Amino acid sequence: MRSPLLLIIFLFFTSAIFAQDITIRGKITDDAGNAIPFATVYVRNTTKGTSANSDGSYTLNLTPGRYDVQYRAMGYRQESRLLDLKTTQTLNITLKAEDYQIKEVTIRAGAEDPAYAIIRKAIKKRKTYLNEVHAYTTEVYIKGMQKLLAAPKKFLGFDVQKMARENGLDSNRTGIVYLSESQSRYTFMRPDKVHEEIISSKFSGSNRAFTFNRASDMQVNFYENLQNWEGLSNRPLISPIADNALSYYRYKYAGTTIENGETINKIQVIPRNEYAPCFSGYIYILEDSWRIQGLDLFITKKANINFVDTLKVSEQFFPVGGNAWMPASLKFEFTGGLFGFKLGGYFISVYKDYDINPKLDKTQFTETLRITKGVNKKDSVYWEQQRPIPLTGEEKTDYQKKAVLAAKRESKPYLDSLDKENNKVSIGKLLLGGYRHRNRYQHETYNLNSLISSVSYNTVEGLALGYGGSFTKQIDSVNNSYLRIYGKVRYGFSNKLFNASGGITMPVGSFRLSLAGGSDVIDMNNHEPITQLMNTAYTLLNRQNFEKLYQKQYAAATLSKRIYGGWQANAGAEWANRRYLSNTTNYSFFHPKGHEFTSNNPLVPYGDVPLFAENQSFKINVRTTYDFSNRYETYPTGKRYLPSKYPTIGLSFTKAVKNVFGSDADYNLLSLDISKTDIPMGFYGKTSFYVGAGKFFNAKNIYYTDYKHFSGNQVLFYQGGISSFLLLDYYRFSTGDKYLEGHLEHNFSGLIINQIPLIRKLKLQEIINVNYLSTLTLKNYTELGLGFQTNIGLRVMYGTSFNNPGGANQAIRVGASF
């Protein structure tokens, strides 16, 4: 038995020796000796390949054998080399500019360009190639690099020079600010199921962080009609071979060439409207099959893209598994600038080892991303062997220099010194931003609120000071769980009431437990539709006291848990003593004509009549939500569940129990809601909606503070959100009976505004919304809103209302939707 075993061991080691990779390396240049960046190198009839770096240098690891190695770059004639590899060798390649021959065609006056006939055939085959491969797996290497090309020494008081020095940039505040590499196994199944496992990750400047590179983020498919690049463009971008592309593009035939026996047509694509969400550049179409062989496109800020001035996308395809063609490489390059800062960079992905007939199970796509512990711990030897795109000299220097910085940053002395510097107390911090004391090494943070945000004024308390703070500590780095303790004190200088409250939130097994209690003065509307700052401004400057308050002494506990996937639930209990408060001051800076303060009773505004008697309640609350999706990402710190493409349904039940701890309240409330934000509507923007309904039953004893309240608005500035009204009174239409509310909002994403010169530069998005409410006392209240929103969520709306007794019929509103 020993001899066969020894033979197996011998064969294993000898095969391992002779199967060691041989490296081809070299540089790819043009006729003038200039480097051709990011040229593609691959072995014919395989899916093994690589890409040159930005200096034109490449490496390709292969086992010994005979290979037909091909070198390609957009705009250059392909070169091939038949190699019999036995040892590592250097092979420099010169690519000549491609000579695209113009076919001899007879063009009559007014006849269309020959490109249109080719594009029509490509459009006709679009769906065929979109659905050609039902599923596949591949390995993907991604490199991302961003450089700061220019920056001011200071910006809004911030010392940019110091920041640049601490982050390894040069004295001119330029250099690499992001450099990362990753390797992934990527799996796809139609129509939209993906799974990605990060095999290795390298992040310059940090030994702990994980790359932001994602193969799923690098997936673009120009066989899709629209390219939805969220964040980069408010509007979907139109593919040059979309079904309706002829309405948006002009085409120009640029010639034909032959490569590997295939005839390739080069077509220039030109937007008919330079401000439309369309690409410019070239697309390469194979004759007879009419599929995309490659593309070299760009889009500029004229098309109202965000963050960058120009974005270039280049993609090359190669044949896989017979007739199918799959991406060989994909590259994004970008430049942009704002406020004296200028940024440039690229992301490039290289694909290999495709399997277009994998055996897959749909259940494996519940997990969309997996990053396990240790993928960022691979050493330099590993990366030298696995990295398909060589590092440039600048990138090597960046890794080396920032490795030293990373080791320093993770040391206790450095963290302590950083904390010591940042934890310094200043009057500015205490007044404006609040004070934060952080211990990075112990993962602890103490926060004190700013004094400015803690001061308010209302007619119930007069000048009020509500000052608080919190303590947070990470107690489990694996599950990324935290302990948080918070508290605040509040004192009204007019009514001379002192209140104190606090709470603690912590993990308990798989649950999250929250305990809270104390005494506080709070809004009668539990949505808190008007902020203390806004109420203070209107009270002092315009003599309008919108906010209505009461005192609440309480003790509460809540348990929450993700039951499974998109199914979440929480349950809680609260005892409270509720006390009505009257106005104690009528002071204001100004007294505009016709403006008088109202009482703290919103239902009897001009009489000091208590809205409710002092009472106690003991309530049990249960709420569960489900979003019809179980998709999640796995990190070393735990799972992160992803937003669903389906609506979220919520069911809530509240039971007020009489005679428990002296409770007076006695009722039941059952409510149901369904909502979804940002539903894509293609070129026409996105839609959001919220519908809620509920009913109180067995309501033997119910108080105003137990009512169902709504997110109304009565001032110029309002708090946005899909369930907010524009013109509804804050308190008058709260109900202790049944209700139905609905909100529908559509964002046209600049579809109309982008057609208007000058205004298009503001990158505004058109908003239209409809809000509806019906209760026992308010029948079919309806609002229609029209307005605009900026990219950062600020919006201006004009609203008009119908069936609004005693309220505003129309008004302008300014708000935020974050």
Side-chain angles (χ1 to χ4, degrees), residues 211-327:
T211 178
F212 295 121
N213 304 342
R214 299 287 186 270
S216 49
D217 292 337
M218 295 285 287
Q219 295 301 303
V220 298
N221 191 338
F222 281 86
Y223 290 117
E224 298 278 2
N225 282 321
L226 300 175
Q227 310 300 306
N228 291 293
W229 295 355
E230 288 288 339
L232 177 71
S233 177
N234 296 330
R235 302 172 294 168
L237 306 173
I238 302 167
S239 169
I241 60 166
D243 289 339
N244 60 347
L246 293 173
S247 300
Y248 293 94
Y249 287 97
R250 292 186 292 110
Y251 301 91
K252 187 175 181 181
Y253 179 66
T256 297
T257 189
I258 297 177
E259 185 177 291
N260 296 328
E262 298 273 8
T263 300
I264 303 167
N265 298 290
K266 182 179 181 180
I267 308 296
Q268 184 178 6
V269 299
I270 307 159
R272 291 184 180 274
N273 180 346
E274 62 180 345
Y275 299 103
C278 296
F279 298 92
S280 300
Y282 293 92
I283 186 168
Y284 300 83
I285 305 293
L286 292 174
E287 188 82 12
D288 298 328
S289 63
W290 313 113
R291 67 166 76 241
I292 300 174
Q293 186 261 0
L295 52 87
D296 198 0
L297 304 172
F298 67 91
I299 192 166
T300 70
K301 60 182 179 183
K302 284 187 176 181
N304 257 3
I305 56 177
N306 304 318
F307 308 117
V308 298
D309 296 334
T310 301
L311 176 74
K312 298 179 180 179
V313 54
S314 299
E315 188 171 23
Q316 295 190 49
F317 296 80
F318 59 4
V320 176
N323 293 326
W325 286 60
M326 301 295 289

Side-chain angles (χ1 to χ4, degrees), residues 523-531 534-535 538 545-548 602 704 708-719 725-734 813:
D523 199 317
M524 291 184 188
N525 185 330
N526 58 3
H527 289 280
E528 299 181 357
I530 184 169
T531 65
M534 194 58 56
N535 185 71
Y538 270 85
N545 57 328
F546 290 105
E547 191 176 37
K548 306 305 177 184
Y704 182 84
K708 169 63 182 178
H709 304 283
F710 306 98
S711 295
N713 183 64
Q714 295 176 256
V715 299
L716 174 63
F717 298 95
Y718 79 109
Q719 300 182 75
F725 291 89
L726 293 171
L727 304 169
L728 184 71
D729 189 285
Y730 292 129
Y731 303 98
R732 285 178 56 209
F733 303 113
S734 299
R813 296 292 186 241

Side-chain angles (χ1 to χ4, degrees), residues 235-488:
R235 302 172 294 168
L237 306 173
I238 302 167
S239 169
I241 60 166
D243 289 339
N244 60 347
L246 293 173
S247 300
Y248 293 94
Y249 287 97
R250 292 186 292 110
Y251 301 91
K252 187 175 181 181
Y253 179 66
T256 297
T257 189
I258 297 177
E259 185 177 291
N260 296 328
E262 298 273 8
T263 300
I264 303 167
N265 298 290
K266 182 179 181 180
I267 308 296
Q268 184 178 6
V269 299
I270 307 159
R272 291 184 180 274
N273 180 346
E274 62 180 345
Y275 299 103
C278 296
F279 298 92
S280 300
Y282 293 92
I283 186 168
Y284 300 83
I285 305 293
L286 292 174
E287 188 82 12
D288 298 328
S289 63
W290 313 113
R291 67 166 76 241
I292 300 174
Q293 186 261 0
L295 52 87
D296 198 0
L297 304 172
F298 67 91
I299 192 166
T300 70
K301 60 182 179 183
K302 284 187 176 181
N304 257 3
I305 56 177
N306 304 318
F307 308 117
V308 298
D309 296 334
T310 301
L311 176 74
K312 298 179 180 179
V313 54
S314 299
E315 188 171 23
Q316 295 190 49
F317 296 80
F318 59 4
V320 176
N323 293 326
W325 286 60
M326 301 295 289
S329 65
L330 174 67
K331 172 172 60 77
F332 290 97
E333 290 183 273
F334 52 89
T335 57
L338 189 67
F339 302 126
F341 293 88
K342 188 174 181 182
L343 189 74
Y346 67 84
F347 282 88
I348 184 170
S349 56
V350 178
Y351 303 85
K352 68 175 185 177
D353 295 340
Y354 277 101
D355 180 358
I356 60 173
N357 293 297
K359 294 181 180 179
L360 301 175
D361 183 349
K362 289 184 179 180
T363 59
Q364 74 185 75
F365 295 99
T366 301
E367 180 187 64
T368 63
L369 175 70
R370 171 172 287 271
I371 303 178
T372 55
K373 191 175 182 180
V375 300
N376 58 349
K377 305 301 182 183
K378 305 293 174 65
D379 59 21
S380 58
V381 175
Y382 170 89
W383 282 102
E384 285 295 328
Q385 294 173 344
Q386 298 295 323
R387 177 186 291 123
I389 303 177
L391 297 176
T392 65
E394 182 182 30
E395 291 166 350
K396 289 179 181 178
T397 300
D398 189 75
Y399 271 135
Q400 293 167 357
K401 182 167 57 176
K402 290 182 180 175
V404 177
L405 289 175
K408 177 182 176 183
R409 287 172 180 156
E410 293 171 6
S411 67
K412 188 175 186 303
Y414 177 82
L415 294 176
D416 289 345
S417 65
L418 192 62
D419 287 337
K420 183 178 180 180
E421 178 67 24
N422 293 331
N423 291 341
K424 290 180 179 178
V425 182
S426 70
I427 298 298
K429 284 183 179 180
L430 292 174
L431 286 176
L432 301 176
Y435 175 68
R436 184 184 190 192
H437 184 95
R438 184 176 179 184
N439 186 324
R440 287 174 170 82
Y441 195 76
Q442 296 293 333
H443 305 290
E444 296 177 350
T445 304
Y446 298 84
N447 286 289
L448 293 175
N449 297 343
S450 72
L451 289 171
I452 293 295
S453 67
S454 302
V455 177
S456 62
Y457 181 83
N458 60 76
T459 54
V460 171
E461 300 173 287
L463 179 65
L465 176 65
Y467 195 69
S470 65
F471 166 75
T472 304
K473 181 177 178 60
Q474 185 181 47
I475 58 177
D476 186 351
S477 61
V478 175
N479 295 310
N480 202 29
S481 57
Y482 290 84
L483 166 72
R484 182 171 183 264
I485 302 172
Y486 60 92
K488 75 170 184 176

Side-chain angles (χ1 to χ4, degrees), residues 185-187 192-198 214-216 363-371 629-635 640-643:
R185 291 188 185 96
Y186 184 77
T187 305
D192 57 2
K193 297 184 182 298
V194 299
H195 178 267
E196 180 178 0
E197 180 178 2
I198 305 293
R214 299 287 186 270
S216 49
T363 59
Q364 74 185 75
F365 295 99
T366 301
E367 180 187 64
T368 63
L369 175 70
R370 171 172 287 271
I371 303 178
S629 174
N630 300 320
R631 297 185 312 131
Y632 63 89
E633 297 175 338
T634 300
Y635 296 87
R640 184 179 79 89
Y641 284 84
L642 301 177

Side-chain angles (χ1 to χ4, degrees), residues 485-701:
I485 302 172
Y486 60 92
K488 75 170 184 176
V489 294
R490 184 182 182 106
Y491 183 73
F493 287 87
S494 180
N495 67 359
K496 296 181 170 41
L497 280 181
F498 175 82
N499 294 275
S501 60
I504 181 171
T505 302
M506 59 185 175
V508 178
S510 60
F511 291 85
R512 190 157 190 82
L513 173 65
S514 296
L515 301 173
S519 177
D520 202 358
V521 174
I522 60 176
D523 199 317
M524 291 184 188
N525 185 330
N526 58 3
H527 289 280
E528 299 181 357
I530 184 169
T531 65
Q532 288 189 359
L533 175 62
M534 194 58 56
N535 185 71
T536 298
Y538 270 85
T539 302
L540 290 174
L541 304 178
N542 212 39
R543 202 170 177 80
Q544 290 178 290
N545 57 328
F546 290 105
E547 191 176 37
K548 306 305 177 184
L549 305 167
Y550 75 103
Q551 186 184 44
K552 177 179 177 181
Q553 298 166 318
Y554 67 100
T558 303
L559 270 178
S560 58
K561 177 181 173 62
R562 184 180 295 275
I563 298 174
Y564 175 75
W567 184 15
Q568 300 183 70
N570 64 71
E574 179 194 77
W575 175 90
N577 181 83
R578 289 89 64 92
R579 178 187 170 198
Y580 177 79
L581 301 174
S582 297
N583 289 343
T584 60
T585 181
N586 64 353
Y587 175 78
S588 65
F589 292 157
F590 306 105
H591 196 156
K593 187 177 180 179
H595 286 196
E596 293 294 343
F597 286 140
T598 58
S599 75
N600 196 44
N601 183 338
L603 305 185
V604 186
Y606 297 106
D608 190 11
V609 179
L611 180 59
F612 54 86
E614 185 171 353
N615 64 87
Q616 292 80 44
S617 70
F618 179 75
K619 295 188 291 188
I620 299 172
N621 307 282
V622 179
R623 178 168 172 80
T624 183
T625 61
Y626 185 61
D627 67 4
F628 300 93
S629 174
N630 300 320
R631 297 185 312 131
Y632 63 89
E633 297 175 338
T634 300
Y635 296 87
T637 55
K639 292 180 180 179
R640 184 179 79 89
Y641 284 84
L642 301 177
S644 171
K645 64 180 180 180
Y646 304 105
T648 297
I649 294 178
L651 180 65
S652 301
F653 177 72
T654 301
K655 171 76 174 176
V657 186
K658 189 176 177 62
N659 296 327
V660 175
F661 303 116
S663 172
D664 302 306
D666 187 4
Y667 66 87
N668 301 306
L669 170 61
L670 181 66
S671 60
L672 177 71
D673 55 84
I674 179 171
S675 62
K676 184 74 181 81
T677 59
D678 296 338
I679 304 169
M681 295 294 177
F683 194 61
Y684 298 100
K686 49 195 175 184
T687 294
S688 302
F689 74 88
Y690 173 89
V691 178
K695 179 175 174 57
F696 289 83
F697 58 96
N698 293 333
K700 298 176 182 178
N701 200 16

